[in-house]
Amino acid sequence: DTAVSQTPKYLVTQMGNDKSIKCEQNLGHDTMYWYKQDSKKFLKIMFSYNNKELIINETVPNRFSPKSPDKAHLNLHINSLELGDSAVYFCASNEGGGGNSPLHFGNGTRLTVT
Amino acid sequence: AQTVTQSQPEMSVQEAETVTLSCTYDTSENNYYLFWYKQPPSRQMILVIRQEAYKQQNATENRFSVNFQKAAKSFSLKISDSQLGDTAMYFCAPNSGYALNFGKGTSLLVTP
């Protein structure tokens, strides 16, 4: 099936650990994103890549590092996890540019830091 | 940067009734697009409807329609004949350039 898939679906870890979330899309899209949804359901953009190039980098701690090995993949690595990092992280993709292409979302990764 | 305001944190509607969710935004762009997404309890983000700012005609998708007022920068979503499956968080999101900026959402509960 064509889709945006992210793994894992759930991630429970302790403070101070390093973890990664993987994302892949087979829609042929040029642009991929990471969004963070907090406990109040607020969705905030973190990063955006267009053809492997970083184009949006919002005010995010540098413990968060995105990596795009090719335009179909955008992974998120988080170092030294903190309690405040607990959230749902969504990967998304679209055709980018021009603003008319809707986002296609993965199903989210619920990260719980204890 | 765009700001998006959804002034109704929570709403409730009875099955088969009609409900309107409001959204206002601020943008300096002239050509842009606007989207409504829904997020049911399953947490999946689902596109509901899309509107192009240069089109005066309001978009419609089955039971979902928008009232787009460009001058007022208002983009409300009307859900007709509400169904239990419409229970979800609804997010308004204008887009220009590369990123969608989401409002804080309206939690809609459809009751029998």
Side-chain angles (χ1 to χ4, degrees):
Chain A
D1 288 341
T2 54
V4 179
S5 58
Q6 56 181 107
T7 55
K9 193 173 180 180
Y10 297 96
L11 186 52
V12 181
T13 188
Q14 290 185 322
M15 282 176 57
N17 284 347
D18 302 340
K19 290 293 179 186
S20 293
I21 306 171
K22 295 187 175 182
C23 180
E24 175 182 4
Q25 55 93 6
N26 59 3
L27 297 163
H29 289 160
D30 291 329
T31 308
M32 297 185 72
Y33 307 78
W34 280 108
Y35 279 84
K36 178 180 179 180
Q37 186 173 43
D38 62 22
S39 58
K40 295 183 179 178
K41 302 290 189 182
F42 182 47
L43 267 165
K44 184 173 170 59
I45 188 166
M46 300 173 69
F47 302 104
S48 174
Y49 270 75
N50 180 260
N51 271 322
K52 302 193 296 176
E53 184 178 337
L54 181 66
I55 55 171
I56 293 176
N57 184 354
E58 291 294 311
T59 307
V60 176
N62 58 15
R63 299 181 294 102
F64 290 79
S65 53
K67 293 273 191 313
S68 182
D70 55 60
K71 76 172 193 177
H73 295 84
L74 180 62
N75 304 321
L76 183 65
H77 189 74
I78 315 170
N79 289 327
S80 304
L81 278 155
E82 300 177 357
L83 294 177
D85 298 332
S86 294
V88 179
Y89 292 84
F90 283 96
C91 177
S93 72
N94 70 355
E95 293 172 2
N100 64 339
S101 176
L103 289 178
H104 296 254
F105 284 86
N107 288 332
T109 296
R110 179 177 294 280
L111 171 65
T112 303
V113 183
T114 62
Chain B
Q2 295 170 329
T3 56
V4 185
T5 302
Q6 293 181 247
S7 58
Q8 306 144 316
E10 295 180 348
M11 294 190 75
S12 180
V13 65
Q14 280 196 316
E15 220 177 345
E17 297 295 310
T18 295
V19 64
T20 299
L21 281 58
S22 67
C23 173
T24 58
Y25 57 93
D26 186 19
T27 182
S28 57
E29 304 286 334
N30 188 48
N31 190 22
Y32 51 93
Y33 296 79
L34 303 113
F35 302 87
W36 277 98
Y37 281 83
K38 69 181 276 190
Q39 186 179 38
S42 66
R43 143 178 130 205
Q44 188 180 5
M45 291 290 290
I46 301 166
L47 177 66
V48 175
I49 199 164
R50 168 173 55 180
Q51 172 77 40
E52 298 170 63
Y54 66 87
K55 287 189 176 178
Q56 291 187 338
Q57 186 173 7
N58 289 323
T60 300
E61 286 287 341
N62 300 315
R63 297 182 296 106
F64 298 88
S65 61
V66 301
N67 182 2
F68 175 51
Q69 305 288 330
K70 188 174 183 180
K73 294 179 182 172
S74 170
F75 181 56
S76 60
L77 175 69
K78 185 171 86 170
I79 306 174
S80 304
D81 185 25
S82 297
Q83 300 176 0
L84 296 178
D86 295 333
T87 291
M89 283 288 291
Y90 286 81
F91 295 96
C92 171
N95 186 10
S96 64
Y98 285 103
L100 260 71
N101 294 304
F102 287 87
K104 292 190 175 182
T106 295
S107 178
L108 177 67
L109 176 65
V110 181
T111 57

